């Protein structure tokens, strides 16, 4: 059975989704989870694009064990040198360089001819190879590139030392049959001299189908993102391509190294960090992906699971919601359960979380695994807190004007303020804005409940914009207004962290 490498680009192409930008701490948290998922390669960013990307690549390379860590670089000397700077201390590293090859891009965007594009591609692969062994090259817009020229470029960069050639369907234009045939041609030309990778965008909803067709025709690496996030309509969805290969191994005769039981947790983390919700009917990770509504289906399932279930929910990390703890659970049981859920936390983090768990247990009788996950995700990967919520009280009702009194710490000083609003959230946000004296605009506000019941933990995600740049904030609490306040303050802290020199 062939082994297909999974190259995860959630932190690079995924981050190109509108509004999905992540800070360094969030990227590191996600990279650790990608390592638990056992992806083969993490594309951690584009080193030259910003100091934040540079730092994230560097720290992921230094701190996250397991996967190869990769930086993107245009086929330019300064990009490749910057990628090397970011990666030089990483034990397992790759430089991924790219140049467009389609006539449309060369003529209108780069204003160079085919010979010059080929020359630059070869020279930059050689330069990257002078720094690292593991070099990947992508002929951008490959699927709209004239086939003969594309084959020449591929052959030349492999001869120059590229160990992987990635064939991007940059604009999501190709179709499964056509793309499979292209990959077969490339395989004929280069044989086993380099790994053929594919990178499909989802503009026509075909990214997963195109990637699978490529695998069937000789591709050995698939580039993808968690939840399929990415530029425009997104990228090939990791969970879909991996589960298709696993479920239909009889057809593809190929497997991956992915620990599929980590899929749901990774999907939730990406959704939480980016604030991009997963649609309920999304394959593999949507809330309804394993829900059977029809009476006929339920009848079949009760008789024999395989009548209507082609994958087991537990194989993607979905447990039937389990009651785990309550207010009498002790610190030891709490620590053990967090470990079973796959969180590796320091004693100090566990102690802090235990206090929060006890407070939650006072408000909520039954605590489920999902609640614990939300608690951990809510408490970790926070930027340094300039603003902190100390207290919040609300009065509101059918006949009363909603009023919020917010007490907040800024640095070491405590401030409070009472404000009225159109609703309790509006009043709370007015008070926070007045205390913090900030000028951002609220762009979106989403609420969802973790598990069910009136005492469920509520999770709020907001997006704020300041000076044309967006930021997301999250908060979780059994009190939805407190969750909303935490989310807003989280976003303000991220904005403040950005402004620091
Ligand atoms: O879509 C694309 O072509 C890319 C390249 C940089 C690989 O993201
Ligand atoms: Zn892309």
């Amino acid at each position: 059975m062939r082994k297909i490498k999974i190259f995860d680009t959630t932190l690079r192409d995924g981050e190109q989704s509108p509004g999905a930008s992540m800070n360094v701490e969030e990227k590191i948290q996600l990279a650790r989870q990608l390592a638990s998922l056992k992806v083969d390669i993490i594309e951690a960013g584009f080193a030259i694009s910003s100091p934040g990307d540079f730092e994230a690549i560097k720290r992921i390379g230094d701190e996250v064990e397991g996967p190869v860590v990769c930086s993107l670089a245009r086929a330019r000397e300064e990009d490749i040198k910057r990628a090397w700077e970011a990666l030089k201390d990483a034990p397992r590293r790759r430089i991924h360089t790219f140049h467009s090859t389609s006539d449309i891009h060369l003529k209108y965007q780069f204003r160079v001819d085919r010979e010059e594009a080929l020359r630059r591609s070869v020279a930059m692969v050689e330069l990257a190879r002078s720094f690292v062994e593991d070099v990947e090259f992508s002929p951008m817009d490959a699927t709209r590139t004239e086939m003969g020229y594309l084959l020449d470029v591929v052959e030349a960069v492999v001869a120059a030392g590229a160990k992987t050639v990635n064939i991007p369907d940059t604009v999501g234009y190709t179709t499964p049959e056509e793309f499979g045939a292209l990959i077969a041609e490339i395989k004929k030309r280069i044989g086993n001299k380099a790994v053929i990778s594919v990178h499909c965008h989802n503009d026509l909803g075909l990214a997963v189908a195109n990637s699978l067709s490529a695998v069937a025709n000789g591709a050995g690496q698939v580039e993808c993102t968690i939840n399929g996030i990415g530029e425009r309509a997104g990228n090939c969805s990791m969970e879909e391509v991996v589960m298709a290969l696993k479920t239909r191994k009889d057809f593809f005769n190929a497997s991956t190294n992915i620990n599929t039981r980590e899929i749901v947790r990774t999907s939730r983390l990406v959704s939480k960090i980016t604030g991009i919700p997963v649609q309920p009917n999304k394959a593999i990770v949507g809330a309804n992906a394993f829900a059977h509504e029809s009476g006929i289906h339920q009848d079949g399932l009760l008789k024999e699971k395989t009548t209507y279930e082609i994958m087991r929910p537990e194989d993607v990390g979905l447990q039937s919601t389990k009651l785990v703890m309550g207010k009498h659970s002790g610190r030891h049981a709490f620590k053990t359960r967090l470990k079973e859920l796959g969180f590796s936390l320091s004693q100090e983090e566990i102690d802090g979380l235990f206090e929060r768990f006890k407070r939650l247990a006072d408000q909520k009788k039954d605590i489920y695994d999902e609640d614990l996950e939300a608690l951990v995700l809510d408490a970790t990967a926070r930027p340094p807190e300039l603003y902190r919520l100390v207290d919040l009280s609300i009065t509101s009702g059918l006949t009363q004007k909603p009023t919020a009194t917010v007490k907040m710490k800024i640095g070491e000083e405590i401030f409070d303020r009472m404000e009225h609003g159109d609703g309790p959230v509006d009043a709370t946000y007015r008070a926070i804005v007045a205390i913090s004296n900030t000028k951002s605009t609220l762009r979106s506000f989403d609420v969802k409940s973790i598990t069910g019941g009136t005492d469920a933990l509520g999770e709020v995600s907001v997006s704020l914009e300041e000076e044309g740049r967006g930021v997301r904030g999250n908060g979780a609490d059994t009190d939805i207004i407190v969750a909303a306040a935490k989310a807003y303050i989280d976003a303000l802290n991220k904005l403040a962290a950005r402004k620091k020199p």
Side-chain angles (χ1 to χ4, degrees), residues 210-259:
N210 288 335
S211 304
L212 289 170
S213 171
V215 167
N217 283 281
Q221 174 178 294
V222 175
E223 301 200 356
C224 44
T225 60
I226 307 295
N227 298 341
I229 64 170
E231 185 80 26
R232 304 183 311 279
N235 288 59
C236 170
S237 144
M238 194 280 289
E239 57 281 2
E240 292 178 23
V241 85
V242 164
M243 289 312 290
L245 290 174
K246 184 175 164 84
T247 308
R248 297 305 312 276
K249 55 181 176 297
D250 59 318
F251 181 78
F252 290 105
N253 196 28
S255 66
T256 70
N257 287 326
I258 294 295
N259 174 4

Side-chain angles (χ1 to χ4, degrees), residues 12-13 72 96 98 138 140-141 166 168-170 199 201 223:
R12 198 278 297 170
D13 217 326
L72 187 66
H96 173 195
F98 68 101
S138 293
M140 190 157 81
D141 205 18
N166 176 47
D169 183 26
T170 304
H199 176 111
H201 279 271
E223 301 200 356

Side-chain angles (χ1 to χ4, degrees), residues 347-363:
Q347 191 56 47
E348 199 188 334
E349 285 171 317
I350 291 171
D351 290 343
L353 284 166
F354 188 66
E355 294 312 310
R356 294 172 68 122
F357 163 72
K358 281 290 178 191
R359 280 202 297 277
L360 178 63
D362 276 340
Q363 296 160 339

Side-chain angles (χ1 to χ4, degrees), residues 293-311:
E293 189 73 16
S294 134
I296 297 174
H297 289 201
Q298 287 174 352
D299 173 61
L301 277 167
L302 287 172
K303 290 175 178 146
E304 163 57 41
K305 283 236 161 64
T306 54
T307 49
Y308 290 94
E309 217 167 67
I310 60 164
M311 296 167 275

Side-chain angles (χ1 to χ4, degrees), residues 473-489:
N474 302 296
D477 202 279
T478 46
D479 182 325
I480 208 72
I481 313 295
V482 174
K486 284 184 179 174
Y488 200 100
I489 290 172

